[in-house]
Amino acid sequence: MKQKVAILGAATGYAPEKIATFVKSLEYTNFSGNLVIFVNQSQITEYKKFYNQEYNFKIDYQVTNIGEFLSSKKMHSEVKKIIKKLSRVLVFLNRNFQESFIHYLAFPHVSRFFDYRNYLKNNTEISHVILTDTRDVVFQKNPDQFFTKDGLYLGMEDIDNPIGKDSFHIKWITDVYGQDYLEKIAHEQISCAGVTMGDIDSMNFYLNTMVKEFLNLPYYLMVKSNYDQGIHNKLLYNGEFKNVILCQPFDSEISTIGTFVADKILFDNNSNILRKDGNIAEVVHQYDRHIELEKLIIKKYN
């Protein structure tokens, strides 16, 4: 049976041109599936006007309210603090409020998981899914052809920069799970939640596991900061995901390159980033952490 691939990404708070390189890269690959972009209601008209040409793939805009609370300029910061405090009281009194409040009040990094899960519940014809950041990702090969086997494909970062050496992960994991748990997994390689993909069963299990963990953790933590990646790594190293395929940079379908030194990144005369074996890498994440490389990629696609 022919695969039906859907790429899901949040663009709330981004002007349309902010993700133009991402969209253009997909056009270059001749992708023919669905690109699902989650935006706020206020962005819809602007996005449809900006991306008004015909593509091989279908753009499906999904309206969400994630990020609206945090980014609202009409609401004073002190009012936001009061609302968050009141929400804690309401969740304490009635846990049924918890999911809705996390979805609306949390950072978009966390809230997007609810949108992704709900979208897949309502679109059962999809066979394979790519969850992706939109600002700093480019596709260099056709995503219709990524999936040669089932499983949960997780993007890994530079093995020489483990969890215990990264200040962000130290904070995320210590805040949520404590110092003892950090020491337990400090030596482990970081898995980046920015690009995750797999067959529909693997992706549904992943999203349900992430959301379940969000709801099991103290509510105040889930609306405090963008802890999604710390949680993602805890669940990975606790063995709570199924059928995991670890995607090593420059050696797999996902190349997460942000923490690599520039001279380890190879590219050809067409500004394609390469795998170690000289073949073109399928999807590249965090290219914008390298200024000269970012200039090359932007020039190529725009």
Side-chain angles (χ1 to χ4, degrees), residues 9-25:
T12 55
Y14 291 158
E17 55 268 27
K18 197 74 174 176
I19 69 165
T21 302
F22 168 80
V23 175
K24 192 74 173 177
S25 74

Side-chain angles (χ1 to χ4, degrees), residues 67-116:
E68 287 181 329
F69 173 78
L70 290 175
S71 63
S72 173
K73 295 178 180 177
K74 296 179 181 179
M75 196 181 300
H76 193 277
S77 60
E78 289 303 315
V79 175
K80 291 180 182 180
K81 289 178 183 177
I82 291 169
I83 289 172
K84 280 196 174 184
K85 287 179 181 178
L86 286 173
S87 73
R88 288 177 64 176
V89 175
L90 289 171
V91 169
F92 177 77
L93 294 173
N94 187 341
R95 295 277 288 186
N96 291 330
F97 290 123
Q98 186 177 12
E99 182 171 330
S100 296
F101 284 167
I102 294 173
H103 190 197
Y104 184 62
L105 300 177
F107 281 66
H109 311 69
V110 171
S111 299
R112 60 184 173 169
F113 284 87
F114 295 97
D115 281 325
Y116 296 160

